[in-house]
Amino acid sequence: MKKILITGGAGFIGSHVVRLFVTKYPNYQIINLDKLTYAGNLNNLKDIEKKSNYTFVKGDITDAGFINELFNLHTFDGVVHLAAESHVDRSISNPLEFVMTNVIGTVNLLNAAKTSWLTPSPLGRAGEGAHRFYHVSTDEVYGTLGETGMFTETTAYDPHSPYSASKASSDHFVRAYHDTYGLNAVISNCSNNYGSHHFPEKLIPLSIHNIKNNKAIPIYGKGENVRDWLWVEDHARAIDTIYHQAKTGTTYNIGGHNEWTNIDLIQVLCKIMDKKLNREEGESAKLITFVKDRAGHDLRYAIDSSKLQKELGWVPSLQFEEGLEKTVDWYLENEEWLNNVTSGDYLKYYEQQYTKR
Ligand code: NAD
Ligand code: DAU
C-alpha cells in the first residue's frame, strides 16, 4: 500500500485533492497534515473522514523537528504539498508569516524528504527516483500581463506581492533540490480556483456571502483586473494526472482559458444570486461598491495550459457559468459551513479591513 502525505488538506484546494485521492485510490494510505489555521477546516472532509485509507495529523510545517519525526514515523512514497498562506491581502499586512510557512515550511519538507529518500545506505541511495515531491504553486509567480499574451512554463518569474514572492521562492527551492540532490520533484502553477469550500475572504465566496447578507461587495479599483478562473475539481484532477504521469523535474501550467474582469464576473454572479434568492433582477448588483485598490495589484493573469493538455491529456471539464451556478448552490445549501467560518476571528479581520478603507 502506497503512503502519500498531502499537506494543507483541510484547506480549499487541499480538501478536494484529499477527497479525490482517498476515493480514487483505495490502495493508497493518505495522510493529511494540516495546522488548521483560520483557513483550514476539518468540516471540509466530513464525507471521507471515516474512510480506512485516510488519516489526519495536526501539525505545523514550520516546525522542522516535528516534520522530521513524521518522516521517521512513516515511510512516505510521495508528498503533495499544498499547505501555504494563500491570501494576497493578508501577505501585504503580514509578509513574514508567508515567508515562514511558504518558504521555510517548504524547505523543512524538502529536507525531510531528502533525508528520508536520498540518504545513502549500504543498499545504495534509498529510493532515488521512486519517491515523488509535488509542489502545488501559483501563476502569480510570473507577475502580471498586459492586455495580451499568456503565461507559459518558460515565462520568467516576476512576483509582485509578498505572497507571490514567497511562492516563487519555494518553487526555486524545489527546483534546487531536484537539480542539486536529485529529488524527484514536480511543480504546477495554477490560475485562480473557484468552487465549494472556498474561504470567504477571496473574491467569489466573499461576494456570495455579502450578497446573501445584503452587505457591500468590495471591488478593488475599477474592477478592470483580469483573472483566469478554473473549477477547483479540475485543478484536483490535474494534480492527480501530473503526480502520476509527469517526468521528474518538470513544470506544468494549469488553467481554464477563462478570463474575466472582476466587474464582469461579479455582474454575472449578481444575476445568479438574484435568481436563486428570488430577488428582482438588478437588486444584488446595487451592492457593488468600488473601494481603494490593492497595493501592487497585478492587472491580468492568463495561463497557457497547452503543455499539460498535449503531453498528459488533461482538459478542463466545466463551463464557467455552470461552475459558478454550482458554486452558488453549494454555498446556499451549506449555510452552517458558511456561518461557522464567518464567526469569531473572521469578523474581527473584516471589520479591520473595512475600517482601513
Ligand atoms: P487555503 O488557504 O484554503 O488552505 C491552506 C491550508 O494550509 C489550510 O488548511 C491551512 O490550515 C494549511 N496551513 C497553513 N499554514 C500551515 C502550516 N504552517 N502548517 C501546516 N498547514 C498549514 O489555500 P488554497 O487556496 O487551498 O491553496 C492551496 C495551495 O494551492 C497553496 O499552496 C496555494 O498557493 C496554491 N494555489 C492556490 C490557488 C487558488 O486559487 N486558491 C491557485 C493556485 C495555487
Ligand atoms: O492566481 C492564483 C491565485 O489566485 C492564488 O495563488 C491565490 O492563493 C488566490 O488567493 C488567488 O489570488 P487573487 O489575489 O487573484 O484572488 P482574490 O480572490 O483575492 O482576488 C481576485 C481578484 O479580485 C483580484 O483582482 C482582487 C480582486 N478583489 C478581491 C477581493 C478579496 C476585489 O476586487 N475585491 C475583494 O474583496
Side-chain angles (χ1 to χ4, degrees), residues 23-236:
T23 51
K24 185 169 173 189
Y25 302 106
N27 57 332
Y28 287 7
Q29 184 64 38
I30 303 299
I31 319 283
N32 171 15
L33 165 67
D34 200 295
K35 183 182 170 185
L36 298 182
T37 65
Y38 78 95
N41 184 351
L42 288 180
N43 285 332
N44 291 353
L45 291 163
K46 270 257 166 285
D47 54 325
I48 56 107
E49 68 183 5
K50 296 213 164 63
K51 297 263 189 194
S52 59
N53 65 334
Y54 170 72
T55 310
F56 173 70
V57 177
K58 184 168 188 231
D60 187 339
I61 58 168
T62 68
D63 181 345
F66 163 77
I67 293 297
N68 293 336
E69 266 174 43
L70 189 73
F71 274 73
N72 280 336
L73 192 67
H74 301 274
T75 317
F76 294 120
D77 293 283
V79 173
V80 182
H81 174 39
L82 297 107
E85 286 295 334
S86 68
H87 191 36
V88 173
D89 294 333
R90 287 183 191 252
S91 82
I92 295 168
S93 343
N94 190 1
L96 201 52
E97 206 171 345
F98 284 67
V99 175
M100 292 308 295
T101 297
N102 299 358
V103 185
I104 307 290
T106 302
V107 176
N108 284 338
L109 288 163
L110 289 166
N111 279 336
K114 170 176 163 284
T115 307
S116 172
W117 298 340
L118 303 178
T119 305
S121 76
L123 298 173
R125 294 176 99 184
E128 190 170 354
H131 303 81
R132 168 143 285 184
F133 191 101
Y134 184 153
H135 184 229
V136 176
S137 192
T138 171
D139 61 355
E140 299 202 9
V141 298
Y142 299 124
T144 188
L145 292 162
E147 283 180 7
T148 57
M150 292 183 123
F151 297 134
T152 70
E153 288 80 0
T154 54
T155 301
Y157 276 31
D158 184 21
H160 296 129
S161 72
Y163 163 69
S164 52
S166 70
K167 291 296 289 188
S169 171
S170 58
D171 286 5
H172 290 319
F173 272 103
V174 174
R175 280 197 189 98
Y177 275 60
H178 170 265
D179 295 348
T180 308
Y181 307 112
L183 191 75
N184 173 348
V186 288
I187 299 175
S188 59
N189 298 87
C190 188
S191 61
N192 288 61
N193 286 213
Y194 72 99
S196 70
H197 305 91
H198 202 181
F199 193 79
E201 63 185 351
K202 310 281 168 67
L203 180 68
I204 292 180
L206 173 72
S207 303
I208 295 174
H209 174 65
N210 285 11
I211 294 169
K212 188 171 155 257
N213 293 294
N214 271 310
K215 285 188 179 166
I217 310 166
I219 301 292
Y220 299 164
K222 294 182 181 156
E224 286 167 349
N225 303 67
V226 175
R227 295 292 181 267
D228 181 353
W229 294 92
L230 180 70
W231 175 241
V232 64
E233 293 178 33
D234 283 336
H235 187 189

Side-chain angles (χ1 to χ4, degrees), residues 211 267-284 321-322 324-326 328-329 332:
I211 294 169
Q267 293 285 7
V268 173
L269 182 68
C270 285
K271 277 195 188 137
I272 297 175
M273 291 294 284
D274 282 342
K275 197 172 77 183
K276 301 281 171 188
L277 297 172
N278 294 318
R279 291 181 181 167
E280 256 179 49
E281 201 177 324
E283 199 58 29
S284 299
E321 282 86 345
E322 187 189 349
L324 201 54
E325 190 159 344
K326 272 173 99 141
V328 168
D329 286 341
L332 296 179

